[in-house]
Amino acid sequence: MPPAMATLTITRLGHQGDGIADGPVFVPRTLPGEVVEGDVAGGRMAAPRIITPSDQRIKAPCPHYRSCGGCALQHARDDFVTGWKHDIVRQALAAQGIEAPFRAPHITPLHSRRRATFTGRRLKTGALVGFHARASDVVTAVPDCLILHPELTAALPLLQDLTAREGSRKGELSLALTLSDAGLDLAVTGGKAPDGPRRANLGQWAGQAGLARLAWDGEVIAQEHPPFHNIGRARVTPPPGAFLQATKPAEAALQAAVADAVGTAGHIADLFAGCGTFAIPLAEHAEVHAVEGDGAMLAALDAGWRHATGLKRITTQTRDLFRNPILPEDLARFDAVVIDPPRAGADAQARALANSNVPVIAAVSCNPVTFARDAKSLIQGGYRLNWVQLVDQFRFSPHVELAAQFLR
């Protein structure tokens, strides 16, 4: 069916940040109340012309915004975006019949993102490295990105050089770059498996580039020195490509929220513990049992704890908490539980917690919908949602992160 020209009024924003008009018709980079005009196809107006702009609209501060798909909300005032994200959490809770007080939000500053995954594509001459355009396989270079830490931006020419050497014109390299406290840590996927000579060339390139570590499809090719991260009193070297909070300021805000939530608890279980983002700082005052499905991340946590000073005991357990949640009788020995699941939430573990007698739960979530679902389980089991705090570490994106406290 051919596109049809239409004039529409945006009534609200969807969870991905698109404006929504009656139909529904999805209209990217628009705001509630705006009147827009353009071709509509498949329930979408891909290239709207703004007829009547919202008073919340501003000029996007980034020169790449029109072509880059990394950000979705640079055209809106910061206070509008924060309010919209609060509303996303409130609406997710309301859908489960839950209300809760909100603490003041944490908003991560610009130029603070310490990890990003770029796409690299080799060209006839040179290479192109950047982010995909919105809903497209087009790659946009981002030399003046407002989100990235300056050291990541400064490394883009290195990634272009590597892509020109090792990339393919028929495929793409995925370049996961992390700024560790010891330098740049690069994990590459999508390239050809390195043979002996190529492995040697890559190792030489990594040394000349000054990388702390280069990994290729999970194999460490070169490590000048361990790419550690200072977490509390410990130095932790995660495995290549391991999960870390995207910015240090947001990590500190989440750690502070969790510490406040658990209070003076002396024996804490940290579920979905990762590399120890919460377990290690909490061990300054409490014994911690860290549970995580990824054994390599737990090994990094354990090594960091063993070489640190001034920490109480941290024990670790590799366990799939989705299929094998910790049962109420095993939770009885803990004064508090920290739970930070991935986007899917922790349905089975939340239901087990709901049947436990743990006095306090500190929850961290990157998905308000699954958080609300799990919160309902806890509340039905006798917990009260005491407070929620928004932590916006993905500026200009629809991504929402939060911390919360549940009390029995």
Side-chain angles (χ1 to χ4, degrees), residues 333-350:
R333 62 191 178 100
F334 299 109
D335 305 315
V337 165
V338 178
I339 185 165
D340 180 17
R343 289 191 61 80
D347 185 26
Q349 187 61 73

Side-chain angles (χ1 to χ4, degrees), residues 103-127:
R103 290 184 161 189
H106 166 85
I107 311 298
T108 287
L110 301 179
H111 298 297
S112 62
R113 180 152 184 167
R114 63 177 172 177
R115 63 173 176 84
T117 299
F118 301 95
T119 295
R121 184 178 296 160
R122 186 163 66 87
L123 307 175
K124 288 183 178 180
T125 57

Side-chain angles (χ1 to χ4, degrees), residues 124-151:
K124 288 183 178 180
T125 57
L128 177 62
V129 170
F131 297 134
H132 279 117
R134 184 182 177 91
S136 171
D137 62 356
V138 174
V139 178
T140 299
V142 289
D144 301 305
C145 179
L146 295 181
I147 301 300
L148 299 177
H149 191 285
E151 291 194 42

